[in-house]
Amino acid sequence: VNDTNLLKRFDPPSAQHLLGTDEAGRDVMARLMYGGRISLLVGLFGAISAALLGTLIGLMAGYYRGRTEAVLMRVTDGVISLPLLPLLIVFAAIDLQKLGFSQEFVRSGTANFLRIVIIIALVEWTTVARLVRASTLSLMTREFVLAARTQGASARHILTVHVLPNTTSPIIVALSLAVGQIILLESTLSFLGLGIQPPTPSWGNMLNNAQELISRAPALAFYPGFLIFVTVIAVNFLGDGLQDAFDPRAESH
């Protein structure tokens, strides 16, 4: 994927290189496939991390009510009101070495991956938190929850056995819709040079590398941009389909 061959720079598509080569003689198709894996993993792990954090906050806000709910929901509203892209840029620019991490780890691909996942999770949990809180508030008035509380069941038991299983539908829908948005955010950060760092390819940093070559090799910008577009559309369609499947009010066809 990262092997260079300066004698084969900008080679056209051939049997050996189906989509040609880039400015360093690297196989474009191999880098697109590897970069797609990175972008999709960031989207998936970022969405799962955000869903876990949002679910925890939503359950606590919906169950404990009162001051706890007020504080958690005001924090949620505060995060929603923050400008997303500038906030992501600030987080991405934090020097990990000043936080105590070794220089070797900071320069590794794992550090870049984990940094993006954590940053995105810190700003993308709000939707899940609001959905889970609303579902929890509704479920707390249901007969089976009231019966469990009457019998002296603990809050942990009620939340894990009675409430959480009945909130999985909105969580799954929100998670699937978040994947597409997170892929776009990762691509934006990588395009700005603050996401996945070269030589590790992602669709975002491949676009960033191609912007200076757009006049000479426009295909290098078209391929990753088109794949981002198709992937986000596909994930959004999946989210819409799951929403229809889990919506009890949806009409059966």
Side-chain angles (χ1 to χ4, degrees):
V1 174
N2 295 321
D3 294 339
T4 61
N5 187 345
L6 298 181
L7 299 177
K8 294 186 176 182
R9 297 173 69 241
F10 302 113
D11 275 3
S14 63
Q16 184 178 2
H17 305 290
L18 296 181
L19 295 179
T21 60
D22 62 7
E23 74 281 2
R26 297 170 296 194
D27 187 274
V28 173
M29 185 171 183
R31 288 179 62 80
L32 285 171
M33 294 174 66
Y34 190 88
R37 186 178 72 173
I38 297 296
S39 295
L40 289 172
L41 284 175
V42 169
L44 183 60
F45 280 97
I48 292 174
S49 302
L52 291 174
L53 180 59
T55 299
L56 177 62
I57 293 175
L59 288 173
M60 292 176 61
Y63 182 85
Y64 289 106
R65 307 293 298 276
R67 181 174 297 179
T68 300
E69 180 187 19
V71 171
L72 292 176
M73 287 301 99
R74 296 300 75 76
V75 172
T76 303
D77 294 338
V79 174
I80 292 174
S81 66
L82 292 173
L84 182 57
L85 187 56
L87 184 65
L88 289 174
I89 292 174
V90 170
F91 283 156
I94 294 175
D95 188 355
L96 295 181
Q97 285 186 250
K98 294 182 179 179
L99 298 179
F101 294 97
S102 66
Q103 185 176 5
E104 181 181 357
F105 174 75
V106 171
R107 292 184 177 181
S108 66
T110 302
N112 288 327
F113 178 83
L114 293 176
R115 179 207 292 262
I116 297 301
V117 169
I118 293 172
I119 289 172
I120 290 175
L122 289 176
V123 297
E124 284 292 318
W125 57 268
T126 54
T127 300
V128 174
R130 294 171 72 93
L131 289 173
V132 171
R133 169 184 169 269
S135 297
T136 303
L137 290 174
S138 175
L139 289 167
M140 292 304 296
T141 61
R142 301 287 293 273
E143 290 80 3
F144 57 90
V145 175
L146 294 176
R149 297 186 70 176
T150 302
Q151 294 174 3
S154 64
R156 184 176 181 179
H157 176 83
I158 292 173
L159 290 175
T160 56
V161 176
H162 299 291
V163 176
L164 185 58
N166 289 287
T167 61
T168 53
S169 297
I171 292 173
I172 291 174
V173 173
L175 190 150
S176 62
L177 292 174
V179 170
Q181 183 178 359
I182 291 173
I183 290 174
L184 285 177
L185 290 176
E186 181 276 325
S187 300
T188 301
L189 288 175
S190 296
F191 181 77
L192 295 174
L194 298 171
I196 304 300
Q197 299 297 313
T200 303
S202 76
W203 291 338
N205 65 29
M206 290 180 72
L207 271 176
N208 184 31
N209 294 337
Q211 65 176 333
E212 298 177 357
L213 307 167
I214 193 69
S215 59
R216 180 171 182 179
L220 294 180
F222 171 78
Y223 293 139
F226 178 74
L227 288 174
I228 291 171
F229 171 78
V230 171
T231 302
V232 172
I233 290 294
V235 172
N236 285 339
F237 277 136
L238 174 63
D240 290 340
L242 290 174
Q243 188 172 16
D244 292 338
F246 286 119
D247 187 357
R249 293 170 297 181
E251 296 181 3
S252 58
H253 299 285

